[in-house]
Amino acid sequence: MKKLFTLVLALMGFAGAANAATVDEVAPLKHSYVLVCDELGARPGKGHLFGDSHFLDVTGGSYATNKGKVNLAEADGVLVTEEIAAKYGEYGEHLNTLRLKNDQDYIAMKVTAGSKIMIFYNNNGANRYPMFGKDKPTTNPLDNQGTVTETVNKIARMDWTADNDMTVYIGGKGGDQFISFIIVEANEAPGTPQVKLGEQKYENGLWFREVTCKPTDMQADGATFPTIVTYTTDGTAPTAASSIYKEPVKCYADMTVKFQAFMDIMMDGQTVYEDAIAPNADNEANVSFSFDAPTISAEGANVTISSNYEGAKNFVMLNDAETAEETSSFTLDESATVKAYSQIVNGSYATFTTKSTTKDVYVLNPIKEQKTIAVTAGDVVVDEEATATSTTGTIYKVENGAISADKKDFFVKNLEFAVVKDAQYQIDGKEAYVKMNTTNISFLVAEGDTVNVKVITTKNSCKTLNPDNDESLTTDRKNFVNVSGTTYGNEDVTAEDGNIITFGLRGGEGGTVFTFQKYSGTGNIMISSIEITPVAETPAVQETVLWEGESIVNGWGNQPIFLSDGGAELTEAGAAVGDKLRIYATAPDDNWQVEFTEGHWGGMYVRYAAKDLGPNSDGSERTYSIVDLAAQGYLEYTITEEFLTNATTVKYWGGVFLLNGDGNMTVTKVTLVKGAGDTAVQNVKSVKANDGAIYNLAGQKVANGYKGVVIINGKKALLK
């Protein structure tokens, strides 16, 4: 008969595994099973087992809560038959949540010959259906694809029967599907009892799970016999002498509860079952408990461990410690990786250990003076063990290695060293380097501070780089470092200074801890030195409104428009050479760009072009800047000595705007920006928009699509 399981995955703890599972680890479905998908809490994730390890999420994917419901307690004669409702009505109504993305997502399970699978799912009212395969279903399908019932309100049911004992992969075809139930009716022996494992509960100070069993009738010699079920809780096979099941078995510890059916035969008015065992009519429930990890929180060096479970005892290990200390709060003297877990005493029955969690807690001084990391000690010796199995010759290693990194300035984890024996790739003849494989190096930049970072790698670092699922990186870019998830690098390590990587970092609110991490591409980065230098503060940017209103400029050759009414003179605003005049405006076409040129009436004028303006009429290269007005929202002009002299002779500075081209420009505001001159931030270079947080010259954070002159990581950059 049927073994019915429901799953409360948040309590079963499918996601606790650190390593991805494989199909070999899937538990065969020898008995019937009901998977309730919205009780998973979320999509398990690629490589995770779920449903008491009977299912494997091969691809990972998504999870939804807005795709309708299926109610097994209400027979509609189509999706939910009277027979289905009678067997499974106790499961009631549940959401279609587990998503199988079209031709992409699939799960795996192991079933026995003759087992029937019923899948209830949302098909969006279209021709969408589960597919069954030997591996990926849509590319290696089985000949047997089952039957889809008629759709009712976008909900369908797929029925499929296994031809033999097999591993079956289930995926989606024709569009995304969202599943509420997967019911496996195994081909079990007559009389097999129905067994159900209840959810993890807390009551009267104890955690427990209930196992319920429902005896079933069986046919023998043309007669129908009820069954009597015995059980054990120690994992041994039940016999006629074992306890007879009469009520749910409450389990307070991890255990296996086994059941065996016996035919209930009446002879001479008395029940006889000792010698009437029902062949192969056994079943079991594997009871296990799972508890979430405690929470690690830190305020500076003060660390607190907190658990959601009443009476839990918290334990902590620092860095690579092998023994744990019971504590819920402590203060660190230096940065550390904190690992925490809890223990829950379940009366006299069991002591449960929760999942563990880790957190890097930083106790660092902000970088206020130049700091350099380099290898300061270490002996280069032959690695005899690695050399013995090497196919590339002698392998070397560094013994007793050390680097110049004060613990108050840097938190260094998993420090590794590498050896470069080939002189053409060495830096200053050195053989020992920091290997950025698992090594992490963290440091603190105070709020508002900017540091310049200079990384010198060996001249063969990442030489065989192959981008790892990152279309923005191409194979001809050879030398990279990863800092807190952002990649910095040079395009060719073989070029002059190609092994030197420079970039800037700016501390955010409350200060920012930046971490050098492994770059995900192939090859290892060997670092000769990391030099971090604070950048002197730049003057604060101040923006003063000179004029605000609305002015429309139309066509070429129209009369000059003076933004004078109510405006402030430049002398009153304290304008100086190097300050910026900003003209806030809107363009008629998002694709239009604007050319800014001075020299008309001592003021300035603006010209439009629908596309790139190209060279001058005489073929010479244009030297003025072109700005995408639609993206930036304003035009910006740097005040020169000549302009300032001429402009101040005219009251209200005499700003002049002319338009070259069709269309119009609406000017809404003119401002004077001080502290944003060319000397405010140095090192203008073209960079990618995703290289760090982006700020305009007014110090405002802007989005990645922004174009024009900006500040990224403390440096001025031109985004195109």
Side-chain angles (χ1 to χ4, degrees):
M1 299 299 289
K2 311 298 183 287
K3 175 182 180 181
L4 309 180
F5 272 60
T6 187
L7 177 68
V8 181
L9 202 58
L11 299 174
M12 289 295 292
F14 75 87
N19 300 314
T22 67
V23 71
D24 292 337
E25 299 170 73
V26 174
L29 284 155
K30 297 178 181 178
H31 298 283
S32 298
Y33 196 100
V34 177
L35 178 71
V36 183
C37 294
D38 66 6
E39 291 181 346
L40 301 179
R43 183 70 187 256
K46 182 177 181 180
H48 281 131
L49 294 171
F50 61 105
D52 291 328
S53 298
H54 290 302
F55 302 84
L56 173 66
D57 193 341
V58 181
T59 57
S62 58
Y63 185 87
T65 57
N66 61 344
K67 297 298 180 180
K69 303 174 181 179
V70 172
N71 191 345
L72 295 182
E74 295 183 0
D76 58 18
V78 181
L79 291 174
V80 181
T81 65
E82 294 289 347
E83 181 184 9
I84 291 174
K87 289 180 181 178
Y88 308 112
E90 63 186 285
Y91 290 94
E93 186 177 69
H94 287 276
L95 298 169
N96 296 290
T97 55
L98 183 64
R99 183 189 192 191
L100 294 181
K101 191 172 183 180
N102 182 44
D103 199 20
Q104 178 174 315
D105 291 335
Y106 51 107
I107 60 177
M109 66 183 76
K110 293 179 181 178
V111 293
T112 57
S115 293
K116 179 181 177 181
I117 295 179
M118 290 186 289
I119 302 175
F120 292 85
Y121 65 101
N122 181 309
N123 71 353
N124 204 37
N127 188 27
R128 304 180 180 187
Y129 51 91
M131 281 195 72
F132 299 83
K134 301 173 184 177
D135 41 59
K136 184 177 181 181
T138 52
T139 57
N140 196 7
L142 295 170
D143 293 335
N144 174 14
Q145 285 298 314
T147 304
V148 178
T149 64
E150 181 180 348
T151 300
V152 177
N153 296 326
K154 298 185 179 182
I155 310 299
R157 187 185 85 236
M158 165 65 79
D159 295 338
W160 178 86
T161 302
D163 296 327
N164 45 55
D165 292 358
M166 63 187 302
T167 299
V168 62
Y169 294 80
I170 302 176
K173 187 66 176 176
D176 296 356
Q177 295 141 53
F178 297 84
I179 300 172
S180 51
F181 296 98
I182 298 178
I183 300 176
V184 180
E185 293 187 339
N187 186 21
E188 297 172 316
T192 301
Q194 299 177 17
V195 175
K196 182 179 178 181
L197 176 61
E199 63 186 54
Q200 187 168 302
K201 294 181 179 180
Y202 184 74
E203 186 176 277
N204 298 325
L206 293 173
W207 291 93
F208 69 95
R209 300 185 76 177
E210 273 191 348
V211 180
T212 56
C213 176
K214 183 178 180 181
T216 59
D217 294 342
M218 64 178 295
Q219 305 290 325
D221 297 329
T224 299
F225 296 94
T227 58
I228 293 173
V229 177
T230 65
Y231 71 94
T232 61
T233 58
D234 60 2
T236 61
T239 66
S242 301
S243 299
I244 297 176
Y245 178 83
K246 296 179 180 179
E247 59 184 5
V249 181
K250 279 192 174 183
C251 302
Y252 297 92
D254 292 352
M255 63 178 62
T256 297
V257 183
K258 292 190 174 184
F259 299 86
Q260 175 64 57
F262 294 82
M263 287 182 286
D264 187 358
I265 302 173
M266 294 292 295
M267 294 184 65
D268 298 329
Q270 296 198 12
T271 299
V272 178
Y273 72 92
E274 288 89 344
D275 297 322
I277 189 169
N280 300 315
D282 60 288
N283 211 330
E284 66 182 37
N286 294 306
V287 182
S288 63
F289 292 81
S290 180
F291 298 88
D292 293 330
T295 300
I296 303 173
S297 57
E299 291 187 9
N302 299 315
V303 183
T304 301
I305 313 298
S306 55
S307 174
N308 292 327
Y309 304 107
E310 181 180 335
K313 297 179 180 180
N314 299 316
F315 293 83
V316 170
M317 291 182 289
L318 300 182
N319 299 324
D320 299 323
E322 296 182 357
T323 57
E325 177 184 350
E326 182 185 346
T327 183
S328 293
S329 62
F330 55 95
T331 301
L332 290 172
D333 295 325
E334 59 187 43
S335 302
T337 297
V338 178
K339 180 178 181 179
Y341 64 89
S342 303
Q343 286 188 346
I344 300 167
V345 177
N346 208 37
S348 60
Y349 297 100
T351 297
F352 299 119
T353 299
T354 70
K355 301 172 189 176
S356 63
T357 185
T358 60
K359 181 182 181 68
D360 288 337
V361 180
Y362 302 106
V363 183
L364 296 170
N365 296 323
I367 301 296
K368 291 296 185 180
E369 60 184 43
Q370 187 180 92
K371 301 289 182 178
T372 302
I373 296 173
V375 177
T376 56
D379 302 316
V380 175
V381 299
V382 175
D383 187 333
E384 300 289 355
E385 183 177 350
T387 300
T389 58
S390 172
T391 59
T392 57
T394 306
I395 306 297
Y396 297 89
K397 64 181 179 180
V398 177
E399 290 184 345
N400 305 314
I403 62 174
S404 56
D406 189 294
K407 291 183 178 180
K408 289 297 183 181
D409 297 323
F410 300 98
F411 177 41
V412 182
K413 287 179 57 179
N414 307 317
L415 181 60
E416 287 192 62
F417 295 93
V419 176
V420 176
K421 295 292 287 186
D422 194 329
Q424 67 174 318
Y425 299 132
Q426 294 174 352
I427 305 299
D428 299 328
K430 295 190 297 184
E431 291 186 329
Y433 300 87
V434 176
K435 183 179 181 181
M436 297 307 296
N437 183 19
T438 59
T439 300
N440 287 338
I441 300 174
S442 301
F443 57 96
L444 173 64
V445 179
E447 179 177 346
D449 282 2
T450 299
V451 297
N452 285 330
V453 182
K454 179 180 180 181
V455 181
I456 301 178
T457 71
T458 60
K459 295 182 180 181
N460 63 336
S461 284
C462 239
K463 191 172 183 179
T464 59
L465 176 67
N466 182 24
D468 183 14
N469 298 324
D470 190 344
E471 295 178 358
S472 66
L473 302 179
T474 56
T475 53
D476 62 345
R477 298 182 65 179
K478 307 281 188 180
N479 193 27
F480 299 94
V481 291
N482 180 331
V483 181
S484 297
T486 298
T487 300
Y488 303 91
N490 291 321
E491 297 197 1
D492 188 355
V493 72
T494 64
E496 183 179 358
D497 294 334
N499 64 308
I500 300 177
I501 302 170
T502 59
F503 51 93
L505 298 171
R506 182 179 179 84
E509 183 177 354
T512 302
V513 174
F514 294 97
T515 301
F516 278 86
Q517 301 166 313
K518 177 186 177 182
Y519 176 66
S520 62
T522 60
N524 291 308
I525 295 112
M526 279 76 78
I527 289 181
S528 174
S529 64
I530 300 173
E531 184 180 276
I532 303 175
T533 306
V535 178
E537 285 191 26
T538 58
V541 176
Q542 297 179 340
E543 188 169 4
T544 303
V545 176
L546 299 176
W547 175 90
E548 193 166 11
E550 183 173 305
S551 175
I552 300 178
V553 182
N554 293 293
W556 167 249
N558 60 325
Q559 295 299 313
I561 293 180
F562 293 81
L563 304 178
S564 57
D565 296 340
E569 293 188 40
L570 289 179
T571 52
E572 294 175 357
V577 174
D579 290 344
K580 306 285 187 179
L581 283 173
R582 266 185 201 160
I583 297 88
Y584 287 84
T586 58
D589 187 324
D590 286 349
N591 293 322
W592 281 26
Q593 294 176 314
V594 180
E595 172 201 350
F596 218 174
T597 307
E598 64 176 310
H600 187 76
W601 288 19
M604 68 193 79
Y605 64 84
V606 176
R607 293 198 299 181
Y608 275 98
K611 295 182 179 179
D612 189 351
L613 294 176
N616 293 316
S617 58
D618 61 1
S620 61
E621 182 181 354
R622 292 179 184 263
T623 58
Y624 44 75
S625 62
I626 299 175
V627 181
D628 184 340
L629 178 60
Q632 185 158 302
Y634 59 82
L635 298 137
E636 190 171 77
Y637 171 79
T638 302
I639 295 176
T640 64
E641 182 68 40
E642 179 183 5
F643 173 79
L644 189 61
T645 301
N646 292 333
T648 52
T649 62
V650 181
K651 188 177 181 180
Y652 303 123
W653 68 271
V656 179
F657 300 88
L658 293 178
L659 189 63
N660 178 12
D662 297 330
N664 61 65
M665 176 180 71
T666 301
V667 179
T668 58
K669 183 170 63 174
V670 179
T671 67
L672 175 67
V673 183
K674 302 183 67 63
D678 290 335
T679 59
V681 183
Q682 301 298 322
N683 301 323
V684 177
K685 65 174 182 177
S686 294
V687 296
K688 289 170 52 181
N690 63 358
D691 278 350
I694 309 171
Y695 302 84
N696 61 27
L697 294 179
Q700 301 163 324
K701 190 172 183 179
V702 295
N704 282 352
Y706 190 93
K707 293 181 175 63
V709 179
V710 297
I711 298 173
I712 302 180
N713 297 325
K715 296 184 178 181
K716 185 183 287 185
L718 177 62
L719 296 184
K720 300 180 179 179

